[in-house]
Amino acid sequence: MSFTGEHILSVHQFDRDSIQQIFQIARNMAPYASRQKRTKVLEGAILGNLFFEPSTRTRVSFGCAFNLLGGEVRETTGMESSALAKGESLFDTARVISSYSDVIAMRHPQAGSVAEFALGSRVPVINGGDGANEHPTQALLDLFTIERELAASGLTVDGMHIAMVGDLKHGRTVHSLSKLLCLFKNIRFTLIAPHALAMPDEITGAIETAGHQVTITDTLEGNLSADIVYQTRIQEERFSSKEEANLYRGKFRLNQQIYTRYCKSNTVIMHPLPRDSRSDANELDNDLNLNPNLAIFRQADNGVLVRMALFALTLGVADKVKDYECAVPWFSNKNA
Ligand code: NCD
């Protein structure tokens, strides 16, 4: 599949072959991300990195991915400091910023906003999260991580058991990942959430239609013997009040003691981050930091590789990255 000039708005755009195409290119990006080599393939290109909702990881990882390919990044953060606060339409913003950029990454609190923005853009737009709707690049990096982590135990995505935990109603990462997993076979889903924060019926229905097995529960204990446990944060910003979000904060805490008691010895722990480490939440305890199956930082590192691959593909340079290679003259011990 050719991605050149295409927007990346939803996981529905992918099939298994195109996912493997992206992952192969992502794997080839490792020497550049780890600073063994550089490439200038996107020298002169500009990324418009528009984040109208809080973000550290996704925003910086889009920016770094573009820099690592030799390109420059122009960034806007927050709604208040943008012309959207003056009533400008998404179409107008897109029209203008796309004249200044070669590709745009965008996050916005409203579901459907990034697709609306893309209608006004003359360059490819990559969805960095639109409200509770979708987060396609996170789903790709999650799947990339799941494949890698499971391969270490001789397992595959087909036939795996994944437990998703927390705010499954508002979490766009679990929405996009679940939709992507519909392309695979014979997966067991254990969906662990308070009743009020359950996975939307539309997504549970799609998982079942894909032939997967779904167990829905509101109890953590006894339901964690999965190959992957994907923990999430209570999406406080999507509730009508902080008090309402507080009703669910700290309900599902995973720590080493619970892991030892209920998980398998090789259960992989994932989280899109940020994990809420405040004492009243503490959804993934710091005492898991020494657990070799805690994959959260490998997951974040993989995000750069996957986003580099997406930039190379949408800008049509995936097969030219090596041609623009050069040496790294500065000290680097990233591989140590
Ligand atoms: C997630 C998001 O923004 O949807 N974070 C991320 O992109 N890595 C999850 C979250 O904020 O809880």
Side-chain angles (χ1 to χ4, degrees), residues 53-55 57-58 107 128-129 131 135 138 170-173 232-235 237-238 271-274 283 307:
E53 227 191 10
S55 172
R57 214 155 338 263
T58 307
R107 169 174 287 188
H135 196 344
Q138 180 74 39
H170 302 106
R172 56 191 168 202
T173 66
T232 64
R233 179 179 67 85
I234 299 298
Q235 306 282 293
E237 62 278 29
R238 314 249 179 260
H271 191 302
L273 300 179
E283 57 214 14
R307 293 186 172 112

Side-chain angles (χ1 to χ4, degrees), residues 50-81:
L50 309 184
F51 274 70
F52 299 116
E53 227 191 10
S55 172
T56 308
R57 214 155 338 263
T58 307
R59 177 173 56 82
V60 176
S61 114
F62 268 119
C64 282
F66 207 73
N67 287 149
L68 285 164
L69 291 167
E72 305 250 351
V73 182
R74 291 280 169 272
E75 202 154 86
T76 295
T77 53
M79 199 79 92
E80 315 73 42
S81 55

Side-chain angles (χ1 to χ4, degrees), residues 22-23 25-27 29-30 33 57 61-62 65 68 137-150 268 270 273 295-310:
I22 296 167
F23 288 0
I25 295 164
R27 284 189 283 272
M29 295 299 181
R57 214 155 338 263
S61 114
F62 268 119
L68 285 164
T137 64
Q138 180 74 39
L140 287 170
L141 77 88
D142 286 342
L143 182 62
F144 184 83
T145 305
I146 292 171
E147 271 193 13
R148 276 199 164 173
E149 299 287 325
L150 290 185
V268 175
M270 293 177 60
L273 300 179
I296 56 176
F297 300 119
R298 294 191 287 275
Q299 196 180 347
D301 288 349
N302 290 337
V304 173
L305 304 182
V306 168
R307 293 186 172 112
M308 288 175 80
L310 290 172

Side-chain angles (χ1 to χ4, degrees), residues 1-291:
M1 177 176 169
S2 169
F3 287 95
T4 308
E6 296 290 326
H7 302 305
I8 307 288
L9 300 174
S10 161
V11 290
H12 288 305
Q13 289 170 248
F14 307 116
D15 56 20
R16 283 182 73 152
D17 284 347
S18 56
I19 290 170
Q20 287 313 320
Q21 183 190 353
I22 296 167
F23 288 0
Q24 184 51 50
I25 295 164
R27 284 189 283 272
N28 293 342
M29 295 299 181
Y32 310 108
S34 64
R35 294 296 208 230
Q36 283 165 270
K37 299 174 194 168
R38 291 170 67 202
T39 176
K40 296 182 179 179
V41 72
L42 288 185
E43 190 170 57
I46 296 174
L47 165 69
N49 209 20
L50 309 184
F51 274 70
F52 299 116
E53 227 191 10
S55 172
T56 308
R57 214 155 338 263
T58 307
R59 177 173 56 82
V60 176
S61 114
F62 268 119
C64 282
F66 207 73
N67 287 149
L68 285 164
L69 291 167
E72 305 250 351
V73 182
R74 291 280 169 272
E75 202 154 86
T76 295
T77 53
M79 199 79 92
E80 315 73 42
S81 55
S82 85
L84 290 174
K86 297 181 182 173
E88 185 172 58
S89 69
L90 287 167
F91 183 92
D92 286 6
T93 309
R95 201 73 192 170
V96 173
I97 302 298
S98 63
S99 298
Y100 301 166
S101 324
D102 296 283
V103 58
I104 292 173
M106 177 176 168
R107 169 174 287 188
H108 191 281
Q110 215 175 297
S113 53
V114 183
E116 188 186 332
F117 177 93
L119 293 174
S121 174
R122 303 169 212 217
V123 301
V125 175
I126 304 183
N127 185 355
D130 61 320
N133 184 35
E134 277 235 30
H135 196 344
T137 64
Q138 180 74 39
L140 287 170
L141 77 88
D142 286 342
L143 182 62
F144 184 83
T145 305
I146 292 171
E147 271 193 13
R148 276 199 164 173
E149 299 287 325
L150 290 185
S153 305
L155 299 169
T156 60
V157 178
D158 289 320
M160 73 164 175
H161 178 192
I162 184 167
M164 294 181 172
V165 186
D167 187 352
L168 306 185
K169 177 181 178 191
H170 302 106
R172 56 191 168 202
T173 66
V174 281
H175 297 169
S176 282
L177 179 59
S178 300
K179 291 180 198 168
L180 205 53
L181 291 176
C182 289
L183 297 171
F184 291 79
K185 290 196 176 65
N186 215 9
I187 298 177
R188 242 179 96 193
F189 281 78
T190 301
L191 303 178
I192 307 172
H195 186 65
L197 302 185
M199 185 71 91
D201 289 343
E202 173 215 334
I203 296 177
T204 317
I207 297 171
E208 281 169 341
T209 306
H212 302 316
Q213 189 193 318
V214 181
T215 304
I216 295 175
T217 172
D218 60 1
T219 315
L220 192 66
E221 290 77 7
N223 288 305
L224 292 173
S225 60
D227 302 310
I228 304 284
V229 169
Y230 192 106
Q231 174 69 291
T232 64
R233 179 179 67 85
I234 299 298
Q235 306 282 293
E236 188 180 299
E237 62 278 29
R238 314 249 179 260
F239 286 78
S240 50
S241 70
K242 205 176 158 82
E243 290 67 43
E244 195 195 346
N246 282 345
L247 295 175
Y248 307 104
R249 187 187 292 285
K251 230 175 163 31
F252 300 124
R253 299 162 187 250
L254 184 57
N255 59 25
Q256 186 55 49
Q257 196 190 359
I258 292 175
Y259 184 93
T260 308
R261 181 131 185 238
Y262 295 108
C263 292
K264 301 194 302 177
S265 60
N266 59 351
T267 296
V268 175
I269 308 165
M270 293 177 60
H271 191 302
L273 300 179
R275 58 175 155 171
D276 188 342
S277 296
R278 289 171 286 197
S279 59
D280 59 344
N282 208 20
E283 57 214 14
L284 271 188
D285 198 289
N286 282 333
D287 72 358
L288 289 161
N289 286 359
L290 293 176
N291 185 323

